[in-house]
Structures are given as structure tokens and as C-alpha cells.
Amino acid sequence: MGLGDNRRSPKMRRKISQRKLKARIQRRRARAAEERGTRKGTPAKSSKKKSSS
């Protein structure tokens, strides 16, 4: 954005809404991971793939 540009321009509205959307998704993922970790009693980060050798 240049000097004197309006922060309510369509471009800024898109950027702000995109930032809020990504923040919402991030919060939802963090909450879901936290619930998974506490409910099962397993670590929050676990992969489903197991290497079979």
C-alpha cells in the first residue's frame, strides 16, 4: 500500500478477511489437537502411519 491509501480499499478488505480466516482455522486446529490429546491420553501430535519393516 502506498502513502495516503485508504485502508478500507477492496484489496485491504481481502487481506484483512484472509488474515482473520487463517487465524480462525489455526485456532480451531489448535483446539481440536488439544482435545484429541486430553481425551485419549495420548500425545497431541501423533502420526497414523507406521513403518512396517
Side-chain angles (χ1 to χ4, degrees), residues 30-48:
R31 188 169 56 240
E34 192 265 341
E35 286 178 7
R36 271 199 312 274
T38 55
R39 191 168 8 117
K40 291 183 185 176
T42 58
K45 193 173 188 181
S46 62
S47 64
K48 293 182 184 283

Side-chain angles (χ1 to χ4, degrees), residues 15-31:
K15 284 178 62 127
I16 292 169
S17 62
Q18 186 80 354
R19 191 175 65 223
K20 288 185 177 184
L21 171 70
K22 295 205 177 192
R24 273 200 309 271
I25 291 171
Q26 198 69 15
R27 280 196 303 270
R28 191 177 67 207
R29 290 192 67 210
R31 188 169 56 240

